[in-house]
């Protein structure tokens, strides 16, 4: 059998019409990761009234959660159909969120446009990490914060995300990730600092329980060998 395409971003458009249905296990997994991420991000920002960009928003799970915390949210993603699903759900639920189709390497926003940029499950997919981080720094206001997570590059992370999550447990579609594109924390720290951002601490993110449907629930972990979350600030 042919090997699956790696870093296959078409999966987000392929299921866009079911994004908010809870019918697809891997989509539910992405949704279940939002509370664990926010429980840590909340330590670093009061969202109320802040201008926030959700970079790589897909169908809008994180964007809506941040909106519900009182932020003014814009979301951007290259997946056209996923953005359409995000717009439709926001309209149906009376949420005022701006969604745009675009790439992290060339953000269609002016300098100093946002108080915060949130970027989860994205940096391990981008074609030019240096350019994405440069764009994040450009659109952040002085004193603004970058909140992110991504996947560490090492044999353990490859085993967990590819062998286990994609091949055995099937909680992600085959071909979702290319392990060669995973990012070591030290590498990302250098990119952030080269872009003029000040790196903060990192923590792990991973399964912390299982719900009644047999889906994983996620939260903060001490180890950063697989998924790690971090922050960086733009000097005031």
């Amino acid at each position: 059998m042919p090997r699956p395409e790696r870093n296959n971003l078409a999966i987000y458009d392929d299921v866009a019409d079911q994004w908010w249905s809870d019918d697809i296990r891997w989509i539910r997994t992405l949704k279940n990761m939002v509370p664990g991420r926010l429980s840590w991000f909340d330590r670093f920002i009061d969202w109320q009234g802040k201008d926030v960009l959700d970079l790589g928003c897909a169908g809008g799970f994180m964007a809506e959660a941040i909106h519900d915390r009182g932020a003014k949210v814009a979301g951007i993603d290259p997946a056209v159909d996923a953005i359409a699903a995000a717009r439709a759900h926001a309209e149906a639920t009376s949420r005022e969120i701006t969604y745009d189709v675009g790439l992290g390497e060339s953000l269609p926003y002016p300098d100093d446009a946002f108080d915060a940029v949130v970027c989860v499950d994205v940096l391990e997919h981008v074609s030019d990490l240096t350019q994405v981080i440069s764009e994040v720094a450009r659109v952040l206001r002085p004193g603004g914060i970058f909140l992110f997570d991504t996947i560490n590059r090492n044999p353990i992370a490859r085993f967990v995300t590819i062998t286990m999550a994609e091949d055995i447990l099937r909680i992600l579609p085959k071909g979702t990730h290319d392990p060669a594109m995973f990012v070591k924390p030290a590498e990302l720290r250098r990119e952030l600092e080269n872009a003029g951002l000040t790196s903060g601490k990192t923590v792990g993110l991973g399964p912390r329980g299982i719900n009644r449907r047999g889906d994983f629930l996620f939260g903060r972990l001490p180890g950063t060998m697989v998924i790690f979350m971090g922050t960086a600030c733009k000097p005031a």
Side-chain angles (χ1 to χ4, degrees):
M1 294 180 60
R3 295 176 63 86
E5 176 188 351
R6 286 294 172 196
N7 196 41
N8 179 16
L9 302 184
I11 61 174
Y12 299 100
D13 277 332
D14 290 344
V15 298
D17 60 343
Q18 297 174 278
W19 193 265
W20 290 92
S21 70
D22 275 350
D23 291 338
I24 300 175
R25 187 185 183 192
W26 73 266
I27 298 294
R28 297 198 308 268
T29 298
L30 297 183
K31 187 177 183 180
N32 290 342
M33 296 178 82
V34 171
R37 288 163 165 155
L38 282 178
S39 69
W40 194 65
F41 292 162
D42 286 346
R43 298 174 176 219
F44 302 96
I45 183 172
D46 176 1
W47 303 98
Q48 186 66 43
K50 298 295 194 302
D51 292 310
V52 180
L53 176 65
D54 182 5
L55 172 54
C57 63
F61 291 149
M62 180 64 79
E64 291 202 2
I66 296 169
H67 169 274
D68 292 351
R69 278 165 160 72
K72 294 175 285 186
V73 182
I76 188 167
D77 199 283
V80 175
D81 293 339
I83 285 290
R87 286 174 177 156
H89 194 266
E91 182 177 356
T93 56
S94 300
R95 291 179 169 95
E96 294 185 6
I97 302 174
T98 301
Y99 286 109
D100 299 301
V101 175
L103 296 171
E105 289 84 353
S106 182
L107 294 174
Y109 309 110
D111 296 355
D112 304 338
F114 298 100
D115 299 300
V117 175
V118 176
C119 183
V120 297
D121 191 26
V122 171
L123 297 177
E124 69 273 19
H125 294 291
V126 301
S127 62
D128 189 334
L129 179 62
T130 299
Q131 182 60 24
V132 170
I133 298 301
S134 176
E135 281 290 272
V136 169
R138 181 184 66 79
V139 302
L140 271 177
R141 292 173 181 149
I145 189 167
F146 180 41
L147 302 156
F148 62 86
D149 72 37
T150 191
I151 302 176
N152 203 337
R153 191 175 72 253
N154 57 62
I156 293 175
R158 178 176 183 141
F159 175 77
V160 171
T161 59
I162 306 298
T163 304
M164 293 300 298
E166 293 189 20
D167 298 340
I168 296 176
L169 298 178
R170 305 289 180 90
I171 61 173
L172 290 174
K174 285 196 173 187
T176 298
H177 294 107
D178 179 351
M181 298 176 73
F182 293 169
V183 185
K184 290 181 177 291
E187 294 171 347
L188 183 52
R189 193 176 303 115
R190 285 195 298 271
E191 295 287 359
L192 294 167
E193 292 171 356
N194 288 341
L197 301 177
T198 302
S199 296
K201 66 176 294 186
T202 58
V203 298
L205 175 69
R208 293 287 300 270
I210 297 176
N211 65 16
R212 292 180 179 180
R213 300 189 71 164
D215 297 333
F216 287 118
L217 302 174
F218 292 82
R220 183 162 55 98
L221 299 175
T224 59
M225 288 296 291
V226 183
I227 302 175
F228 64 96
M229 301 187 286
T231 68
C233 293
K234 185 171 182 176

